Amino acid sequence: MRRVQIHYPQIDKIDFPSVYRDYEVRRDDPFFDRNYNLCILCGRCVRVCHEIRGASTVTFVFRGSHAVVGTVLDRPLQEVGCQFCGACVDVCPTGALTERAIKYEPLPDDQAKTICPLCSMGCELDVMLNKGRILSTRPSKEGAVNLGQACVKGRFAIKDTVYSSQRILKPMIRRRKELEEVSWDEALDFVAQRLKSYKGKEIGLIQSPQISCEGNFLVERFAREVVKSQNVDFSTGISPLEAFYETAHKDKVKPRFNFKREEISEADVILLAGLNLAVSHPILWLEVLKAVRKGTKLIMVSPDEPLGGRHTTVCLRVKPGSEASLFNYLSKRLLKDEQADGRVLEGQEFFTTDLAKLTAAKVVESTGIDENTLNYAARLLSEGKSCFIFGMGLIQDSRIEQNLAALWNLALLNKGRIIPLGLETNSRGLFEIKRKSGQKTKPFDQIVQEVKGGQIKALYLFGPVPGNKKLKTEFLVVQDSYLNKMSERADAVFPAATFAESDGMFVNVEGRMQSFHRVIEPLGDAKPDWWIVSQLALRWGKKDFLYKKSSDILRELKKAIPAFSKVSTSAQKGGLPRFIQESDKEKEKFMPLKYQERTELTSKTYPFLLGSEYNLDYYRSLILSDEIKGFEIIRNPRWFKLNPKDAKRLDLEDGDEVEVVSPVGKIKGIIRNTDSVPEGMVRSCLFWIEEPSSSPLLPVKIKRGK
Amino acid sequence: MRTTGCHGFCERGPITVIQPDGIFYQRVKLEDVAEVVTETIRNKKIIDRLLYIDPRTGKKIIKEKEVPFYKKQKRIIFGNNGFIDPTDIEDYIALDGYKALAKVLFDMTADEVIAEVKDSGLRGRGGAGFLAGLKWEICRNVSSDVKYIICNADEGDPGAYMDRSLLEGNPHSVIEGMIIGAYAIGASEGYIYVRMEYPLAVKNITLALEQAREMGFLGDSILGSEFSFDIHVFKGAGAFVSGEETSMMASIEGRRAFPRQRPPFPAQEGLWGKPTNINNVETWANIPLILNKGADWYSHIGTRKSKGTKIFSLVGKINNTGLVEVPMGISLREIIYEIGGGIKDGKKFKAVQTGGPSGGCIPADMLDLTIDFDTLTKAGSMMGSGGMIVMDEDTCMVDVARYFLEFTQEESCGKCVPCRVGTRQLVEILTRITKGRGEERDIQKLQDLAKTIKAGSLCGLGQTAPNPVLTTLRYFENEYEAHINQKSCPALVCKDLIIYHIDPKKCVGCLLCLKNCPVDAISGERKQVHVIDQDLCIKCGACLDVCPPKVSAVVRYTGKKKERVLKNVQSKRAKK
Amino acid sequence: MKKLLTESEANQRDLIHILHKVQAEMGYISPEAIAAISKHLKISENEIYGVLTFYKAFSLKPRGEHLVTICMGTACHVRGAPRILDEFKRGLCIEPGETSEDNLFTLETVNCVGASWTVEDQRCGQADRRNKEKFKGIKREGNSIKKMEKINATRLEELKAEILDSRKDQKTCITVCGGTGCHASDVFRLQMLSGMRLRGRS
């Protein structure tokens, strides 16, 4: 709009009286304002919301001269299913929809590209800059991953993440019980000197899947070559990727992990299990919607009602933990339906005999879904090329292998594709580095045990660690971009640069290798992670750790791990997309069913199951809703989502303060009623950061708070 | 005893005709029924009181055919309405119903049917007058596994109701036409989109469909042939714009009735993206006729370019309101004076409005205009669906234009800016003029804006919305000027420009107006002259209505005369 | 509500049909109804709201006990409908589209009920006729066919002959016009007879 005025200043008189519609400007929504007095009803927001985002939150209401863009009964956006992806703001030609944060900012004078670090999709973003400062971010139209779309995180959270008030800007070391700001040399010398006093096995290093491949590779080498420790892993526990790999590995099955976004929309049937794709990976969800629009059948398997459930052909709301028997039953139906297919694969006989024991009545009882619906789902699956996408929901209790084996068999029978979806930005990259580096390392859980047992005396953290309160060591180094509970207790704190201030590469969930480049100068004295590690290694006299640029490390990474060999820093400049290399052949073999006894988690004292909603709503140790008010409105980490029936039983209403108590600890929060959560469950966003647990499902009881 | 469809002569309803003699009774009341049975049927006596009196000659007329209202008409489509009980399919079959369908299914190929319809020269009765046969052919030539046909019975034009009458009175003729059309085009499913304001039409057509289905005229392998087809009724939900073909399809699909851009035309991509043919009720009703009697017979009726007959709903300030079916090429004068029996209360004819909100007004000096698609368009109006609203000297043309624009403004879907904002601006200017606040430049502004709206709108509604303004400006510019310059409304309609006044010389002080005034603005005593307090008067006109015609003391003034009277009143008050 | 929905198919094309049913059954479309329809048809509530606000047939507020619908069609306009409307507005103290405080009357305008022939210059008459009673007055007997058979082309001719044959004996036939117009004027007249006069003031 500003530009229009600049270009056409000669319009000074309008022949007809203007009619001011006098709509109230809506300022109650997070992130953007809606002033429909400026709206010309071009319908672009309505179309993008309906046709591309599949959300249909805004639509034309009324008609003729009363026509206006609005929501049902004029409710605020957050009550009508809006995810605040900002697509409508980007297409609005008049300024009726405006991003609140930049309303009074100057126009951008420069533009740069970066990769969004806030989930494993790695959307390409255009960063608007003014005098070297980030104004806002938009989804890049050329982005191969996101095709001009973004979600609320990439669109509205980047700027505040980079300029957070919790940023660490100076190296600090603890002297006389106080953290003091010091120079880099002083801090590095201090840490090197202290670390040298421990043996390799006394040192633990916790990586972060949110830092670049280069950074993580160097940490790996640092552990191996400098401090000579095997205690190196990342903190977020098991990811679908790893779980799937390990389950398959045990049976000598080699699954493929690479996929292309388009493969999803080419399928005839899509089965989503254990994830809320529209929230956790909104960009992949768009691809699913694209498929649904052209007639693909969509099956969702989850205890909860996922967002966008109305796009499903059938939504199987299973009882938590009964996914495996559901998959097995579907396999059984498919076997019945497809006897003509003469193909016999390894393990099929076992599989068939095992399945024979499974009766419909049993499955109906354990899953809570009626037989007709089950058979309908099986029929849908038999209709064509299928694609199975699963997420954290399938690996959140102790029966991970059982779930994944069942899914694998089902997919194999159906000649379908399985896609495990990790959450963390660079989880695929880190996974490949760990898988292919050939070094034996201890898993995270074991490291935690050893810390608690006192075998590990010095800890070097690159990201957040769950259950941080209980991790006590003699010497603690925290390398992070944000202050957190661990940095308060640390003996040394290194200010790490964020993605916007450094170069590097992320491997996204598809296996696509994406480089990002420095957009702004590092804030304060912050330095890239690789620089800090390399400088530290130099204190041990390791000359081969001396790098000038991150691309030098990449060159080394390519040499060390052949999977990365196809990467090129120019990949984004119009080159072909670069993928992690892997062998194409999947071994076709059924896995044993691996029945695992179901242990009842809940009890009389702890009648509810607390589960997480798996969204990556944090960057390193910054919880987005702590910094960004809009996030608190749409996904408050303090919410405990409860089925209204349960809430009624407990006499709790929306907004009531409660305390959720588990055998291992307790957390406070606010009740939020929603139909999407099944009875007997409580859902919360981020609790694992606060609470340690080996199983993400916890039995809990709910007490009214004060 | 049979309840039939509408006879068309609505002014005189309820109508009863005794067959086979065709004795025509009008305005029959409940009490009359017994008498009709005993006297006329048993004793063969005519009841004088119920006969129709020709207002011109004063003679009583016994037979239906001789009533001048019917005499000049050519009721080829509408005629059977009077013989058929619409709820009984046998009545229709008895009158050669579904004969054309049988002929088509077994003796003709689809191409032959289309050729026949093309030869007949039948043009769509929905308004635009596109050749029906050609439309069918286009749709037939698009290859697709599924095709649809739609019967447009969303008769939105205020004042027009012939489609309703056909659906209520002779639904099977429409159904038969649709089945033949479906056969010719290769459609498998049909929809009849009926306005929800027509409950009886919905009911009768639904019943007729059920009966037709039961007898095998619809459904799988119709009449034992290989052709299968079925029809659904879709009840509209009250939106004028859904009469436009693309928005009608959106409405059937369950969305907001937004029109969309053409091409692709419905014949290429219509309902759910499949080739679709839309015709109006009357068009479909013509089809069985053409195939029964042949294209030759049909093309002899009408003018060179407009064939057949057209049903008009003749309403407004006319003596014989009702539905009239006339051959194309008949003159306006014949319709209004001979069939319509002239203007009510012997007033002067001023204009006739055709084509609903999309059409225009034709003034008195064009009474001899022969009516067909092209002459009406040339006169700045259009055929439309066939509404014909007669206006006399008491009708203000500016007010009529404002009325229509208010209508289109209300009914605009709001998609295109020129229509959404433009019609609103037009209404505002016109309202200003009728309130006496018109400006010199307003006429020019109206014209400019009207052209913009015509050029910039997507669908028929927007493109024709300014027609009422343009035609009234063309033929009645003097009335606009009177409103703007003299602040007077010559037809004494625009409230803000007139006053009601009691002529002291005529008033007999009967208290009638005083009692009937809703706001007690009239003061006076029995046998004394009553006075209207102009400050209180809301100009509802109650006093004028109740003032006995013999006295007629209540008069309306406008313009300079109004000012003079007002001044008089004021000076009188000042004296007191 | 549940029954209504289970009777209907779950397709976007059924939306308007379902809304009609809900409107007829409940007199208005409640927020709960919107939510239920949304679940049933798998369309977002917002879209349903967009559709229902487009059409005049649906209202979001409960209508009064008596619905006064005033025809504002062209013919009615020419013959003085605006004056009737004014009178009602004054009498009921509401604007078109509103419901009176006692929930007795809802005033609405309609663009044409297609009864243009009946328009006369008697305001009281017009007011009555445009009352809802008008529509209530239209009731038809069920169809008179006793036996229905599937027929084919050859049977059609025979059937016609049979029908004509069976009616040979009917010498006299009274045909009564069953058009809406005649119905309406009948109702109107009956009301006039029973002396129902509705004046804006009363």
Side-chain angles (χ1 to χ4, degrees), chain A residues 13 15-21 39-42 59-68, chain B residues 238-240 256 258 409-415 417 420 424-425 428-429 432 441 445 449:
Chain A
K13 193 173 139 238
D15 226 0
F16 298 98
S18 66
V19 183
Y20 189 68
R21 284 167 289 177
C39 176
I40 55 165
L41 280 96
C42 64
T59 174
F60 288 117
V61 294
F62 302 109
R63 72 162 182 234
S65 50
H66 307 293
V68 64
Chain B
F240 175 69
R256 290 166 66 86
F258 268 5
Q409 192 239 148
E410 185 91 345
E411 293 294 340
S412 164
C413 74
K415 185 172 183 172
V417 181
R420 184 182 72 232
R424 185 174 174 157
Q425 291 285 359
E428 248 152 59
I429 296 172
R432 214 171 58 214
R441 281 175 59 228
K445 267 192 197 173
L449 191 53

Side-chain angles (χ1 to χ4, degrees), chain A residues 492-506:
Chain A
V493 179
F494 291 144
T498 61
F499 66 99
E501 301 145 41
S502 54
D503 297 332
M505 183 185 78
F506 291 141

Side-chain angles (χ1 to χ4, degrees), chain A residues 30-50:
Chain A
F31 307 116
F32 53 88
D33 291 338
R34 296 182 289 148
N35 181 356
Y36 290 121
N37 295 304
L38 302 175
C39 176
I40 55 165
L41 280 96
C42 64
R44 292 166 63 131
C45 54
V46 175
R47 286 192 62 187
V48 80
C49 192
H50 178 73

Side-chain angles (χ1 to χ4, degrees), chain A residues 245 248-255 408 587 589-591:
Chain A
Y245 174 76
H249 204 68
K250 277 186 192 159
D251 283 296
K252 301 198 171 59
V253 169
K254 272 190 187 164
W408 166 264
K587 196 170 175 196
K589 176 192 166 190
F590 287 99
M591 291 188 201

Side-chain angles (χ1 to χ4, degrees), chain B residues 331-350:
Chain B
S331 77
L332 262 179
R333 188 183 296 280
E334 281 173 279
I335 296 181
I336 290 167
Y337 284 98
E338 293 183 28
I339 298 172
I343 308 299
K344 248 190 160 111
D345 305 329
K347 297 228 168 155
K348 229 177 96 197
F349 170 78
K350 189 185 220 170

Side-chain angles (χ1 to χ4, degrees), chain B residues 564-576:
Chain B
R564 229 180 354 226
V565 173
L566 277 180
K567 235 182 212 167
N568 260 339
V569 173
Q570 268 165 5
S571 59
K572 263 185 204 166
R573 205 189 280 168
K575 270 180 204 166
K576 273 183 191 170

